Amino acid sequence: MYRLRNLLVATCSLAAVSAHAATEITYWLWDALQLPAYQAAAAAFEKANPDIKVKITQTAWGDYWTSLSTGFVSGTAPDVFVNHLSRYPEFVANDLLVDIAPMIKKDNVPTDIYLGGLYELWGKEGKQYGLPKDWDTIALIYNKEMLAKAGVDPKELENLTWNPQDGGTFGQLIAKLSIDEAGNNGLSPNFNPKKVKQYGLLVDGAPDGFGQVEWSHFAVSNGFKFHDGPWAEKFYYDNPKLAETFKWIVDQMNKGFIVPARDSRQLGANGFFAAGKGAMALTGSWMINWYLDNAKFEKGFAPLPVGPDGRKSMFNGLADSIWVGSKHQEEAWKWVKFLGSEEGQKIIADYGVVFPAIKSAAEQAQQVMSKKGADVSPFLQEATDPKVTFLFPIADHSADVLRATKVAIDAILLEGADPANTMKEVNEEVNALFE
Amino acid sequence: MPPPASLSPSSTTASGLRPARRRSGLLRSQAFCGVVFIAPALIGFTFFYLLPTIRAFYIGLTNWSLLRAPKWVGFDNYVRLFNDEKFWKAIWVTFLYVLYNIPIQTVLGLLIAVLLKQLTGSVLVRSVMLTPFLISNVIAAMIWFYMFDPVLGFVNVMLKAIGLGAHPFFSDPNLALPTIAFINIWRHMGYTALLFYTGLQSIPEHLYEAARIEGSSEWRTFRSITLPLLRPVLVFVLVTSVIGSFQIFDTIAVTTQGGPGTSTRTILWYIYQEGFVSMRMGYASAMSTVLFLGLVLVTLVQMRVLRSGESDLS
Amino acid sequence: MKKSSKRIPVGQWLGYAALLILAIISIGPLWIAVKTALSGPTAWLTSAGSLVPHETTLFNFQRVLGFVDSSDPRITQTGMAKINFFRALLNSVIFTVLAVAPQIFFSATAAYAFARLKFPGRDLLFFLFIAATMIPGAVLFIPNFILIKDLGWLNTFQGMAAPYALMTPFAVFYLRQVFLATPKDVEEAARIDGASYFSIFFKMILPMHSGALATLAILVTVGTWNEFFWPFLIGREENVRVIAVAINAFRTQQQAGSPDWTGLMACTVLGMIPMIALLVFFGRKVVESFQFSGGK
């Protein structure tokens, strides 16, 4: 009796002691859909490292960056956090990120297992600020039934062409797939743009200056480029090829083939699609699961159309960064290393919510997603083709660039402002930031 | 309030209190007690009102991201903001908002007050009118954001039912600001009405009697008796609501975040973005100092125009 | 438009009609929020125009208060955004008490000193306090934020309550008016008897003016409970954020395309209840508090 009780007490106190000895590191992410996957990864990590505990906090995108900034300012930022290419230059400029290059070298972490280009994105001048965790590309999602009704074979979608002058075969297709309340499609002269029941193409109504999902692929396939490369200090928003692209988009909106920006701002392209108000939508790979869960009809994915300069998709990759003010940098590095390893990424892949950066894990994720009812290979195809992918723009002052360009693009999409003049003006404003 | 009956001067312990023992002179001195009584409030005032106001001006003389030490730049920020068209656009948007908001709110408040006075001053009715003011700006904005939703909002569903079609109130650059003003009017009209109602109650009845005897029309009575005697309340309402409206933030944070475009980017929202999103505290502080001075000016002009110093009761 | 006369029934009818319409506009939206919060998470999509809840259920309230397990299958129907609104309500209570109770007390002591005691610089100081009412929050928030940050009080209750806890110019001004309006005789009698200023304050002033103090308490409590801007800057983290900040955070977490309206409305209803309850239980007192909040 006594022995049992002593044993119990001893075990409890041992457990208490080891619990106390565990270092807790905080980890922030924004995507609620990915939370269960990372909780599973944390559980596995904690099992392998019993003296480290990972506390995960999910803060929504809208609040994430401001909360992070407040954390930096007040000295209470998380040890590790999910970082994004649009913000990380400013953190680098303010010396907020730990350079993990020495740790990578010391631990012999393999850096060639990631999809092409991702690792280099997170480095600058020999320093490394994160290990790639996942990537995303843009593709089309389509409503199988609506295509069938219009007599369109889904295979056609793999070879569509586009140009800003007449829209190419892509333009023809979205016109064909637009149907008004009287039943006319967009190719008919009786089509009424004011009473559209089904849009040929759905696009989010509030794009920013990088237009990841909404317009960047059109513009870049037309010959536009944001700047000369990562960390460049000059943007080219005044390129007429960009203005052409916007002109085409606004045109299609006025014709009733693309949902007007005014209407899709709040509900979003995905909301319209799930409600059956559009035949196709532009989407990023991070939304795949949302569509699988919410669009309760047969759907498929197709690659983006081929523009004058070829098929292009923005290629973005997230990474986990360590805060310089972290008091547990060693433990933080272990967590980052785990998340950047094949073992960690396979756990994430199993949840099928995102494409991990390591190729084998990405393929595994693709399998998981396919089991849920959709062939997502177009995303992977685009990602592995270096001719298709172009990098998410990395530059200082990105928050300001985004804000200024968003205002300009709002004016173009909502108020009919002239694309050429508006973008020229905002380009001056943006480039002035770098002086 | 009359003192309780037991405290009559004739009882030996006149005030009903046990006579204090003779304490030291210090405790009896007004000056000492005064200082002690004031001290906490004085500390609060100094640290959260006086010093910050001065400091705001000083911070405006620096460039400061809060992540590193501040850098002295003298009057650069002040010069910069005068040339900043975004600053002036924000001032303009705010001014427009005040223009949409205050006149309607004041007139509606007055109307409701008159209705209350003439028809029914019941507590129930007054409570109902006050209710929107008791809920926070955020909650009010959230409810109306929902009501105005283009697809599922009650307002749009009703509009569609009567054939007017759904309107994306918050996505339309021309409608967003008036819609925000609408929410604010909705929230404040009852409260404003109650303030006016109190003012109306304090106007002596005999003045109205006299006017009636003279055969004055409703409108004339209102113009020559009611309005002038309401002036103190009117001044209070106008001055406080103008100052408050210039600083609108909550509603915008919840609904449009300054968009679409810049149509709802009011001055405080712009200052907030510059300070807390772009981490340019120095510039933000300079703008807020200028805003402060502007508000002082506006208030002084208002009080001058409304001749608030005079009372018309005589 | 400003018509309505006791003599003409038509005018009276119009007046009553106008009042009714305004009353409906004032309360109607609150009812829409309630009915939405009471509707089943998917049923309400088809009943957007209805005036009554469909599939009436308390599920939404349970969900936002954290009483439903996250593995409950009904959760996936409403999107993955999670909110611990119960915590937010608690935080609001703590914040409000912390900011209001000392504020009223210290404002009362200061008001008493301004109204009854003579000390050097009194009038100048009071003039400064009045001037402080004119200082807009817009100019104070940045320096105050930096002060709170330097004190290490970001994301703490004391950080949120600090600017309010010791005084607000309004409270001091209001109470001073009230104290000045009361005749001094009783207090002077007490002085003659040898009572100290402290005992006069605690045993006479406070009880005598309990009505006005209650009024001030109501005004300040409602204002503080509904605060957003300052707590938004200072208290973002879940363990301190008050209801207004929590509702805003909940909103930003919404997936575009399927906002969790029933959950949001449940939160707004919960956030409204305390203040509305105040109105329901203390109706006349609350109404009159606000009516006389302009002074005069």
Side-chain angles (χ1 to χ4, degrees):
Chain A
M1 194 53 163
Y2 271 116
R3 222 167 325 163
L4 186 63
R5 197 186 66 159
N6 285 348
L7 193 63
L8 222 55
V9 169
T11 327
C12 288
S13 49
L14 200 66
V17 163
S18 49
H20 275 297
T23 325
E24 187 183 85
I25 55 171
T26 47
Y27 178 58
W28 280 20
L29 49 80
W30 64 76
D31 192 345
L33 290 173
Q34 292 182 39
L35 191 54
Y38 281 93
Q39 278 165 340
F45 174 77
E46 286 171 356
K47 209 148 164 238
N49 298 276
D51 53 342
I52 308 181
K53 203 165 149 18
V54 179
K55 177 161 173 259
I56 306 183
T57 309
Q58 180 251 333
T59 310
W61 175 265
D63 257 345
Y64 188 79
W65 304 102
T66 338
S67 298
L68 206 55
S69 299
T70 316
F72 291 143
V73 158
S74 66
T76 56
D79 298 289
V80 185
F81 60 94
V82 178
N83 210 347
H84 192 279
L85 288 174
S86 66
R87 308 294 167 132
Y88 113 95
E90 285 165 47
F91 297 153
V92 171
N94 280 306
D95 295 325
L96 290 165
L97 306 178
V98 170
D99 171 21
I100 54 178
M103 303 173 194
I104 291 176
K105 205 150 164 235
K106 183 161 150 271
D107 287 358
N108 281 322
V109 174
T111 61
D112 52 355
I113 53 176
Y114 307 106
L115 242 55
L118 288 175
Y119 182 76
E120 288 74 19
L121 275 181
W122 288 95
K124 185 182 184 189
E125 295 158 6
K127 303 201 179 149
Q128 189 67 17
Y129 297 107
L131 283 182
K133 63 202 251 113
D134 58 44
W135 55 265
D136 48 67
T137 49
I138 314 296
L140 285 167
I141 183 175
Y142 61 84
N143 183 324
K144 280 193 181 160
E145 197 188 317
M146 290 181 183
L147 252 60
K149 274 216 189 103
V152 176
D153 181 358
K155 288 221 189 1
E156 280 177 44
L157 268 55
E158 288 168 31
N159 293 304
L160 294 170
T161 63
W162 174 81
N163 66 69
Q165 282 77 36
D166 60 35
T169 54
F170 183 71
Q172 290 274 327
L173 181 62
I174 63 174
K176 192 170 175 188
L177 289 170
S178 301
I179 303 186
D180 69 13
E181 285 170 16
N184 304 309
N185 73 19
L187 296 171
S188 142
N190 299 324
F191 179 74
N192 184 348
K194 297 216 195 307
K195 290 197 191 269
V196 177
K197 194 178 66 172
Q198 169 186 313
Y199 290 98
L201 183 65
L202 300 167
V203 182
D204 281 325
D208 60 28
F210 293 161
Q212 185 181 8
V213 187
E214 303 88 353
W215 58 262
S216 60
H217 40 88
F218 287 130
V220 172
S221 71
N222 192 32
F224 164 75
K225 71 174 173 185
F226 286 93
H227 54 29
D228 289 321
W231 309 104
E233 305 211 328
K234 184 164 184 278
F235 276 86
Y236 297 117
Y237 283 112
D238 55 352
N239 186 336
K241 293 198 185 283
L242 177 61
E244 276 182 338
T245 309
F246 279 129
K247 191 161 168 304
W248 180 81
I249 294 177
V250 173
D251 207 44
Q252 300 301 298
M253 287 181 177
N254 290 336
K255 287 199 176 131
F257 304 151
I258 298 183
V259 61
R262 186 159 303 191
D263 294 328
S264 57
R265 277 174 80 89
Q266 266 169 254
L267 201 54
N270 53 327
F272 272 84
F273 187 79
K277 297 234 165 72
M280 298 195 293
L282 287 168
T283 180
S285 55
W286 62 88
M287 288 296 284
I288 292 176
N289 253 354
W290 187 93
Y291 281 110
L292 294 177
D293 282 337
N294 288 284
K296 305 205 188 302
F297 43 77
E298 292 272 324
K299 47 207 173 287
F301 293 98
L304 294 171
V306 177
D309 268 16
R311 172 176 292 142
K312 298 287 178 194
S313 163
M314 190 175 277
F315 189 51
N316 183 28
L318 303 181
D320 299 302
S321 296
I322 306 177
W323 176 44
V324 275
S326 162
K327 298 202 175 45
H328 310 291
Q329 288 189 19
E330 261 202 51
E331 289 82 357
W333 162 241
K334 288 203 178 123
W335 173 236
V336 168
K337 195 167 64 159
F338 179 75
L339 288 176
S341 70
E342 217 172 312
E343 188 195 341
Q345 298 207 355
K346 281 216 146 68
I347 299 178
I348 306 293
D350 263 336
Y351 279 77
V353 282
V354 77
F355 287 113
I358 297 177
K359 192 139 189 268
S360 54
E363 281 160 0
Q364 187 179 328
Q366 184 190 335
Q367 303 253 4
V368 176
M369 292 184 204
S370 303
K371 283 212 196 67
K372 288 196 198 167
D375 175 20
V376 299
S377 50
F379 292 101
L380 201 47
Q381 274 166 21
E382 289 176 357
T384 46
D385 186 344
K387 288 204 299 289
V388 170
T389 57
F390 63 91
L391 291 178
F392 192 97
I394 300 173
D396 281 324
H397 309 296
S398 44
D400 288 326
V401 170
L402 283 172
R403 258 199 304 143
T405 48
K406 190 165 200 297
V407 170
I409 296 176
D410 270 355
I412 294 176
L413 295 179
L414 296 173
E415 298 176 58
D418 173 51
N421 288 333
T422 315
M423 294 317 288
K424 189 154 158 294
E425 268 177 41
V426 82
N427 197 50
E428 277 169 27
E429 195 186 327
V430 158
N431 285 330
L433 292 166
F434 293 94
E435 278 154 27
Chain B
M1 231 163 80
S6 61
L7 301 180
S8 54
S10 56
S11 66
T12 41
T13 50
S15 56
L17 294 173
R18 241 173 284 142
R21 278 163 291 159
R22 276 252 159 251
R23 293 213 181 92
S24 71
L26 195 59
L27 274 174
R28 313 254 326 149
S29 113
Q30 284 195 41
F32 176 74
C33 292
V35 168
V36 170
F37 273 115
I38 290 251
L42 191 58
I43 295 175
F45 168 74
T46 310
F47 282 102
F48 294 104
Y49 288 89
L50 182 64
L51 291 181
T53 310
I54 302 172
R55 197 176 183 194
F57 175 69
Y58 168 75
I59 297 176
L61 300 172
T62 68
N63 271 343
W64 197 5
S65 72
L66 290 191
L67 293 167
R68 321 179 122 174
K71 195 179 90 169
W72 177 268
V73 292
F75 283 94
D76 270 12
N77 286 327
Y78 289 97
V79 171
R80 202 176 127 201
L81 71 87
F82 274 104
N83 294 320
D84 183 2
E85 60 167 15
K86 289 187 282 206
F87 172 75
W88 293 112
K89 176 83 202 283
I91 295 274
W92 170 248
V93 168
T94 315
F95 179 69
L96 260 187
Y97 168 73
V98 172
L99 221 57
Y100 285 132
N101 189 19
I102 303 299
I104 300 180
Q105 196 182 109
T106 313
V107 166
L108 266 181
L110 201 50
L111 170 68
I112 298 174
V114 168
L115 287 176
L116 284 177
K117 176 148 194 290
Q118 301 283 49
L119 295 178
T120 163
S122 86
V123 174
L124 178 63
V125 177
R126 283 186 278 155
S127 299
V128 165
M129 293 279 110
L130 183 63
T131 309
F133 191 68
L134 292 178
I135 73 179
S136 95
N137 275 316
V138 166
I139 292 181
M142 199 73 254
I143 294 180
W144 281 105
F145 191 55
Y146 167 57
M147 299 257 293
F148 280 126
D149 183 80
V151 178
L152 295 159
F154 190 78
V155 172
N156 276 315
V157 169
M158 291 294 117
L159 285 178
K160 269 196 279 222
I162 62 177
L164 281 176
H167 269 79
F169 288 89
F170 289 105
S171 306
D172 185 337
N174 296 319
L175 283 179
L177 196 64
T179 310
I180 292 189
F182 169 79
I183 298 176
N184 202 272
I185 292 170
W186 174 83
R187 188 173 175 265
H188 286 86
M189 61 183 186
Y191 170 63
T192 312
L194 285 186
L195 292 176
F196 281 132
Y197 179 67
T198 310
L200 287 177
Q201 297 284 62
S202 69
I203 297 178
E205 261 308 303
H206 66 80
L207 291 174
Y208 287 121
E209 292 282 338
R212 245 196 302 263
I213 290 169
E214 276 179 32
S216 159
S217 79
E218 285 278 344
W219 175 244
R220 216 177 130 237
T221 312
F222 187 80
R223 250 188 56 212
S224 350
I225 298 184
T226 316
L227 270 186
L229 290 176
L230 272 182
R231 179 174 300 144
V233 184
L234 197 60
V235 168
F236 176 76
V237 165
L238 284 176
V239 168
T240 51
S241 54
V242 165
I243 293 184
S245 293
F246 262 97
Q247 300 177 71
I248 173 135
F249 185 88
D250 303 5
T251 317
I252 295 178
V254 170
T255 55
T256 57
Q257 294 97 47
T262 50
S263 62
T264 61
R265 191 164 72 187
T266 59
I267 185 65
L268 190 54
W269 184 257
Y270 183 49
I271 293 176
Y272 165 75
Q273 279 191 320
E274 286 293 303
F276 286 83
V277 178
S278 299
M279 306 304 291
R280 280 192 284 260
M281 285 289 175
Y283 190 54
S285 209
M287 288 197 284
S288 68
T289 312
V290 170
L291 174 65
F292 170 42
L293 295 173
L295 280 178
V296 170
L297 200 66
V298 165
T299 307
L300 288 176
V301 166
Q302 266 188 297
M303 292 179 69
R304 200 79 219 285
V305 165
L306 295 168
R307 286 172 286 144
S308 67
E310 306 161 18
S311 162
D312 292 316
L313 198 50
S314 45
Chain C
M1 258 275 267
K2 293 166 188 52
K3 57 176 174 262
S4 73
S5 150
K6 289 197 178 104
R7 287 171 288 199
I8 308 172
V10 170
Q12 214 172 18
W13 265 107
L14 282 172
Y16 275 115
L19 260 186
L20 187 63
I21 293 176
L22 287 164
I24 293 179
I25 296 179
S26 292
I27 305 275
L30 305 186
W31 170 247
I32 300 281
V34 170
K35 82 117 188 174
T36 305
L38 285 173
S39 301
T42 43
W44 80 282
L45 278 168
T46 47
S47 66
S50 147
L51 285 173
V52 291
H54 277 218
E55 257 187 43
T56 315
T57 168
L58 286 178
F59 174 63
N60 297 310
F61 289 102
Q62 294 167 321
R63 176 165 61 89
V64 301
L65 284 173
F67 295 148
V68 175
D69 192 56
S70 54
S71 58
D72 190 314
R74 292 175 295 175
I75 289 275
T76 50
Q77 286 177 335
T78 56
M80 301 287 281
K82 252 183 38 141
I83 184 166
N84 186 353
F85 206 65
F86 185 77
R87 182 71 212 218
L89 285 168
L90 192 65
N91 292 337
S92 276
V93 171
I94 298 176
F95 166 61
T96 304
V97 168
L98 222 55
V100 170
Q103 181 191 143
I104 298 197
F105 181 68
F106 292 127
S107 299
T109 61
Y112 175 64
F114 280 128
R116 295 291 194 241
L117 302 177
K118 287 194 186 18
F119 53 91
R122 182 190 72 171
D123 291 331
L124 171 66
L125 207 54
F126 186 65
F127 175 72
L128 283 180
F129 271 45
I130 298 284
T133 58
M134 283 275 294
I135 306 178
V139 75
L140 295 173
F141 81 98
I142 292 177
N144 279 335
F145 175 81
I146 297 176
L147 174 65
I148 298 293
K149 160 188 106 72
D150 288 339
L151 285 170
W153 282 357
L154 280 180
N155 283 312
T156 63
F157 286 110
Q158 61 268 30
M160 291 195 295
Y164 307 99
L166 290 175
M167 64 87 86
T168 54
F170 171 73
V172 175
F173 182 74
Y174 179 79
L175 286 177
R176 175 181 175 273
Q177 295 274 81
V178 166
F179 293 163
L180 277 181
T182 319
K184 293 196 222 181
D185 347 3
V186 182
E187 297 161 51
E188 286 188 346
R191 285 289 300 158
I192 291 168
D193 275 353
S196 74
Y197 289 112
F198 294 98
S199 57
I200 292 181
F201 179 74
F202 283 101
K203 300 204 180 116
M204 297 185 75
I205 301 285
L206 288 186
M208 258 168 52
H209 295 102
S210 58
L213 286 169
T215 295
L216 182 66
I218 290 174
L219 292 173
V220 172
T221 301
V222 172
T224 310
W225 180 265
N226 290 332
E227 262 299 322
F228 174 68
F229 188 48
W230 178 253
F232 173 66
L233 294 177
I234 302 289
R236 289 285 172 102
E237 281 175 22
E238 201 183 284
N239 59 337
V240 288
R241 65 183 182 204
V242 296
I243 46 173
V245 181
I247 290 179
N248 187 50
F250 193 34
R251 175 196 64 83
T252 61
Q253 281 175 352
Q254 301 307 310
Q255 296 275 11
S258 54
D260 181 4
W261 287 121
T262 48
L264 274 170
M265 289 301 114
C267 289
T268 58
V269 170
L270 288 171
M272 286 195 275
I273 286 180
M275 294 301 115
I276 306 247
L278 198 66
L279 184 65
V280 166
F281 288 116
F282 298 104
R284 178 172 288 272
K285 182 68 181 167
V286 171
V287 169
E288 288 178 355
S289 299
F290 281 96
Q291 255 184 254
F292 293 98
S293 62
K296 277 239 163 276

